[in-house]
Amino acid sequence: ASFAKILLNTPNSVLWVSENNASFKKNLLAEFAKLGVPASRIIFAGLVDALEDHLARYRLADLFLDTSPYNAHTTALDSLKAGVPIISLAGKSFASRVGASLLTAIGLPELIAQSEEAFVELASKLGQNSEALKMLKEKLIANYQIMPLFDSKLFCKHLEAAYQEMYRHYTNDLPPSDIYISK
C-alpha cells in the first residue's frame, strides 16, 4: 500500500520493478489496480544478459524505494553505487535494518524512515521536489568518496584490528565482550 500511496501522491511517477515472472506481474498489477494505480504507472524491467547493462539501468532511476520488512541488500548497494538515493523504513530485525545501516554508512541518515507514514511522506516529498532530489544525489556522490561504506581498505583495516583485539582477549583469558574499532 505504501508504494501505491507514493505513486498517487507523486504525479508523473512510475514504479520500476523486476519482471520476475508472469504470475508475479499479473498479481502485482491487480493489487495496484485495487489501490487505484493504473497499470501504465508500473514498469517491468526484463532480464538482461550482461550485468553491466543491468547496473547501468540504475542511473535512469531517480529514487530507490526499499522494501519492508525485508530490505534490499545487494540491490541497494548497486543503487547507491549508481548514485541513486534510497529511502528505507527501519525495522526491528537484521533483515529490516540493512537499508538503514547502508544509509548511515554512506552519510544519508535523513533517508531512514521510522514509520510507514514517514516513508510515504518522504518519498512523496522527494518525488515532487526535483531540486531536493538533485541535492541528495549530489550528496550521495560526494559521500561515496569520503564515507566508509565503499572504502574497502578501511574495512580491511578495521577487520584486522578486530581480529587482533579478539586474539588479545583470548590470550589474556578475558571474558567475551563487545569490541569497538574506531578510525
Side-chain angles (χ1 to χ4, degrees):
S2 295
F3 288 15
K5 289 176 188 174
I6 294 164
L7 284 168
L8 294 172
N9 290 342
T10 314
N12 301 315
S13 66
V14 296
L15 181 65
W16 187 11
V17 296
S18 177
E19 191 169 49
N20 203 314
N21 63 53
S23 295
F24 168 80
K25 185 175 179 179
K26 178 184 170 189
N27 291 337
L28 191 69
L29 289 173
E31 289 303 313
F32 273 105
K34 288 179 192 174
L35 297 169
V37 178
S40 62
R41 306 263 323 260
I42 313 299
I43 307 297
F44 291 93
L47 293 176
V48 291
D49 291 331
L51 179 61
E52 55 271 8
D53 291 339
H54 167 68
L55 296 176
R57 295 190 291 193
Y58 279 88
R59 290 188 291 277
L60 301 174
D62 292 319
L63 193 59
F64 183 103
L65 301 177
D66 202 0
T67 54
S68 179
Y70 191 86
N71 290 170
H73 290 66
T74 304
T75 308
L77 281 171
D78 291 341
S79 180
L80 293 171
K81 284 180 188 176
V84 178
I86 296 170
I87 297 177
S88 188
L89 172 59
K92 295 184 186 200
S93 68
F94 164 79
S96 66
R97 297 194 64 77
V98 172
S101 294
L102 295 174
L103 288 166
T104 299
I106 198 70
L108 292 170
E110 64 268 36
L111 296 178
I112 303 167
Q114 299 301 323
S115 68
E116 183 179 345
E117 295 78 20
F119 180 88
V120 170
E121 183 180 331
L122 180 57
S124 299
K125 179 180 161 189
L126 288 172
Q128 297 169 18
N129 187 335
S130 59
E131 189 59 35
L133 192 55
K134 180 182 175 209
M135 290 173 54
L136 272 173
K137 286 183 172 193
E138 289 170 357
K139 183 177 178 181
L140 170 58
I141 290 166
N143 286 3
Y144 186 91
Q145 303 299 321
I146 60 171
M147 296 301 290
L149 182 60
F150 297 110
D151 189 339
S152 298
K153 288 181 182 177
L154 181 63
F155 176 79
C156 287
K157 178 182 167 187
H158 286 177
L159 185 60
E160 288 170 351
Y163 286 153
Q164 289 172 349
E165 186 63 15
M166 283 185 261
Y167 185 70
R168 187 184 73 74
H169 278 234
Y170 170 74
T171 57
N172 291 309
D173 288 325
L174 298 173
S177 65
D178 293 334
I179 296 173
Y180 298 94
I181 307 298
S182 61
K183 284 190 177 189

